[in-house]
Amino acid sequence: MKVLIAGCGYVGKALAAELVAAGHEVVGLRRTPTGLPERAHALAADLFDAAALAKALAPHADTDAVVYAASPGVRDRSKAREAYERTYAQGPANVLDALAPKRFILVSSTGVYGAADGRWVDEGTRPEPTRATGEALLAGEQALYARRPDAIVLRLSGIYGPTRTMLVRSVRDGRARRPATTRWTNRIHRDDCAGALHHLLTLEDPAPLYCGTDDAPAPLAEVQAFLAERLGVPVPGPGEGQEAPGRGGSKRIRNALLRASGYTFRIPSYREGYPPIVDAVLQGDGPN
């Protein structure tokens, strides 16, 4: 199978390595396609320049599947909505103007749910985004389904993994604060992001929508306390600190549909996922 990973970044590179190891042909597309695994074809292109993108993709008309994993990568909140609209509506449209793959997977976010009251949500829950970025994500999903009713959307919760150490470092340095109220958080390790996408690429009869999140929604305070014990530092004190959820709201996300499809999580909870990250920080191997 020939797979194009459009937006081959943190998750895309892990997926590329996995697909190459499984014997698939992989094309990793990004503006600066560096750091891709050996035997993956690096393709430099701008997803938002339709003409240039079509020219770059012309030699790859035989692509069997596309995983669209682009990220807005915007820090200026005033420009966030525009960036999200470009990323989740214009980008997929430009790729589909250039290619006609048998399978198209869009990597989206559980931010479309917007819930902040701790409720359980899943694929059957009506999205009610409370932020402009969530509205743009949902509009992008809907635009994709209008064009490709057979498309698959994977809504990922908070992605963590190697080199993503902000939460760990904030606890280590004493900057984290325990939320004043219970704040439910959801996460998925980068390796399970790649694993779930690989699974969906090869699944015979996939559903149109899946929630990609691990088995253990947890209050932020619980995760902070776990990290503090592992780091050997005091548990964060009370107060709304920088790690209090914003975009993620406060909800508990079910992964039952993804599990029922046959996917087995490699890292089922933060308890298995964070220790290697903490150890790397303690050893000075992570970002400071």
Side-chain angles (χ1 to χ4, degrees), residues 15-286:
L15 174 61
E18 186 162 321
L19 291 174
V20 165
H24 300 292
E25 182 179 357
V26 177
V27 178
L29 184 154
R30 54 184 296 166
R31 285 194 181 94
T32 307
T34 58
L36 270 67
E38 292 184 12
R39 294 184 289 143
H41 177 71
L43 182 63
D46 185 342
L47 287 166
F48 311 120
D49 185 335
L53 181 64
K55 183 177 180 179
L57 290 178
H60 302 286
D62 59 341
T63 295
D64 298 298
V66 170
V67 174
Y68 187 92
S71 171
V74 62
R75 296 183 181 275
D76 186 340
R77 290 188 177 184
S78 67
K79 299 178 181 178
R81 176 153 195 158
E82 178 185 357
Y84 271 68
E85 288 174 344
R86 278 163 49 89
T87 301
Y88 294 103
Q90 182 184 346
N94 288 346
V95 172
L96 287 172
D97 283 343
L99 296 175
K102 298 180 180 70
R103 182 157 294 184
F104 192 102
I105 301 177
L106 172 68
V107 178
S108 184
S109 166
T110 55
V112 299
Y113 292 113
D117 56 4
R119 75 182 72 173
W120 283 98
V121 302
D122 59 20
E123 295 83 359
T125 303
R126 180 180 177 181
E128 295 179 338
T130 57
R131 293 174 177 266
T133 50
E135 293 173 353
L137 273 165
L138 185 58
E141 292 179 6
Q142 293 169 341
L144 175 61
Y145 283 136
R147 180 162 183 171
R148 285 288 301 259
D150 62 338
I152 303 167
V153 172
L154 178 64
R155 291 174 178 164
L156 296 177
S157 62
I159 303 169
Y160 76 109
T163 74
R164 292 204 169 182
T165 61
M166 184 177 70
L167 178 59
V168 175
R169 288 182 289 113
S170 73
V171 173
R172 179 198 64 183
D173 299 341
R175 293 179 286 110
R177 293 293 179 268
R178 185 173 71 248
T181 59
T182 299
R183 301 282 188 173
W184 287 95
T185 59
N186 306 268
R187 57 192 52 76
I188 181 169
H189 194 279
R190 179 205 62 184
D191 293 353
D192 275 311
C193 295
L197 288 165
H198 187 183
H199 171 70
L200 294 177
L201 281 168
T202 56
L203 193 61
E204 184 175 344
D205 188 23
L209 174 65
Y210 293 92
C211 289
T213 190
D214 70 20
D215 293 340
L220 178 59
E222 177 185 309
V223 180
Q224 291 173 329
F226 176 85
L227 295 176
E229 181 179 4
R230 184 87 184 183
L231 287 160
V233 299
V235 172
E240 292 290 347
Q242 67 177 39
E243 306 304 338
R247 292 179 298 172
S250 178
K251 53 187 174 286
R252 288 172 283 178
I253 305 169
R254 292 189 182 94
N255 64 11
L257 185 62
L258 184 57
R259 277 195 166 277
S261 75
Y263 184 68
T264 300
F265 278 80
R266 301 160 183 178
I267 302 171
S269 81
Y270 69 87
R271 299 178 190 89
E272 295 81 23
Y274 268 119
I277 301 170
V278 172
D279 292 348
V281 169
L282 289 173
Q283 293 166 12
D285 295 336

